[in-house]
Amino acid sequence: MSKHTREKAQSRNEAFSKKVATRIWKENPCDDNPYITESALCHGYDLYELMEKCSFSDMFYLLFKGELPKPCESKLLETLMIALINPGPRHPATRAAMNAGIGKTMPVHILPIAMSILGGDYLGGGEIEPAMRFLRKQQKNDPALVAKTLLDDYDNGNSIAPGFGKRFGGIDVMSQHIIERLLLLSGNKPSLEWGQQFATALHSNSMGWLTTGVAAAVFCDLGFQPKAGGVLFQLLSAPGLVAHGLELNNKPITAMPYISDEDYVIEK
């Protein structure tokens, strides 16, 4: 009998839900039209009251965590949001947004194009979950010893561990400065503190924190789940991608450099 023979189809006998259920959001309908929402609750909190009393970072935390943050948690998240708001024009995702903008892509398509790049495994959302799991797993170990063990097997790539490594052949200085400011904030920050010791042990090898490691450490300390980390990273970085794309959307294509023939290399 061929190995490609199909197995007999069988019913899974699974009962599907009769309604879509969510614990995140409750919509209260209008009296005269049940399809129109009159008010809404986010994890039990009235949206109109949240609009009056909460910051955007508080609302962001509430939406994904199901509860409002403590003041120190709110400040930590807000500081990270500011730090990550723009990956910068050196980041491949920002370059994608800029190319889409100069190419006269419809503005509503700039972000999805850039996000597909920002979901990558290097300096992108794809690195956040592994970085969070790395920080969670290693926190009970000596960071200097972990660094030494990894350096012994280092193959000269950009990353020595998820969220840590080289940026353009050296230490990502801006990430280090961001970490130093985050560590000055109040509250319990075990992932940030362990990661800082680990990064310091890597400095003699021209390595340290990467932006993805910074985000992963904060997400860990705020109690977010690793599977959510990559998407949260993309959300926080989205405004900068859009800003760069829109900046070039109304400019002529000559506003971007055109690679000369001498810079094209065809490998044999």
Side-chain angles (χ1 to χ4, degrees):
M1 183 173 66
S2 170
K3 64 180 180 179
H4 298 295
T5 301
R6 294 182 180 178
E7 295 183 3
K8 184 179 179 180
Q10 295 180 343
S11 172
R12 295 180 297 182
N13 295 320
E14 294 177 344
F16 287 88
S17 299
K18 294 183 179 180
K19 294 182 178 180
V20 176
T22 175
R23 294 179 297 176
I24 298 172
W25 202 262
K26 180 182 178 181
E27 295 180 340
N28 299 314
C30 291
D31 292 335
D32 58 346
N33 189 336
Y35 296 100
I36 296 177
T37 302
E38 183 172 347
S39 62
L41 302 176
C42 180
H43 289 291
Y45 292 91
D46 182 77
L47 179 63
Y48 300 137
E49 188 175 356
L50 291 169
M51 290 169 61
E52 295 175 0
K53 299 180 179 180
C54 288
S55 65
F56 180 76
S57 58
D58 288 344
M59 187 65 189
F60 189 94
Y61 186 98
L62 172 64
L63 185 63
F64 289 98
K65 289 280 291 174
E67 58 188 10
L68 286 169
K70 299 175 183 177
C72 60
E73 294 171 329
S74 178
K75 182 61 177 177
L76 180 61
L77 177 58
E78 185 175 28
T79 305
L80 179 71
M81 295 174 91
I82 294 171
L84 296 184
I85 198 168
N86 187 4
R90 288 183 173 87
H91 196 289
T94 310
R95 300 290 291 191
M98 296 170 77
N99 288 332
I102 202 71
K104 301 301 177 286
T105 297
M106 291 180 63
V108 292
H109 295 158
I110 291 173
L111 184 58
I113 291 170
M115 279 297 191
S116 66
I117 307 300
L118 194 63
D121 290 337
Y122 178 64
L123 299 178
E127 193 173 18
I128 303 294
E129 181 178 347
M132 292 180 71
R133 296 193 184 281
F134 171 77
L135 289 166
R136 282 182 164 191
K137 180 180 179 180
Q138 298 295 346
Q139 269 183 42
K140 295 180 180 179
N141 299 322
D142 183 341
L145 183 59
V146 174
K148 182 181 183 304
T149 302
L150 292 174
L151 285 168
D152 288 342
D153 296 328
Y154 178 55
D155 61 358
N156 204 35
N158 286 321
S159 177
I160 191 169
F164 298 86
K166 294 182 178 181
R167 185 86 191 269
F168 297 108
I171 295 173
D172 187 345
V173 178
M174 191 167 179
S175 290
Q176 181 60 43
H177 289 329
I178 291 170
I179 281 291
E180 291 167 358
R181 284 157 175 77
L182 291 171
L183 287 171
L184 292 174
L185 302 177
S186 61
N188 189 31
K189 302 180 288 293
S191 296
L192 284 166
E193 291 168 356
W194 187 94
Q196 175 68 337
Q197 295 178 58
F198 177 69
T200 301
L202 299 173
H203 284 177
S204 59
N205 290 269
S206 298
M207 289 183 283
W209 286 98
L210 298 174
T211 309
T212 46
V214 175
V218 173
F219 292 154
C220 282
D221 288 341
L222 289 174
F224 289 107
Q225 293 300 313
K227 282 195 174 182
V231 182
L232 298 180
F233 177 78
Q234 288 180 298
L235 286 172
L236 301 192
S237 301
L241 302 179
V242 176
H244 282 289
L246 290 177
E247 180 186 32
L248 290 171
N249 197 240
N250 290 323
K251 293 186 178 182
I253 198 168
T254 52
M256 288 282 278
Y258 187 83
I259 300 176
S260 63
D261 291 343
E262 292 77 14
D263 291 322
Y264 282 99
V265 177
I266 299 177
E267 297 182 357
K268 294 182 180 180

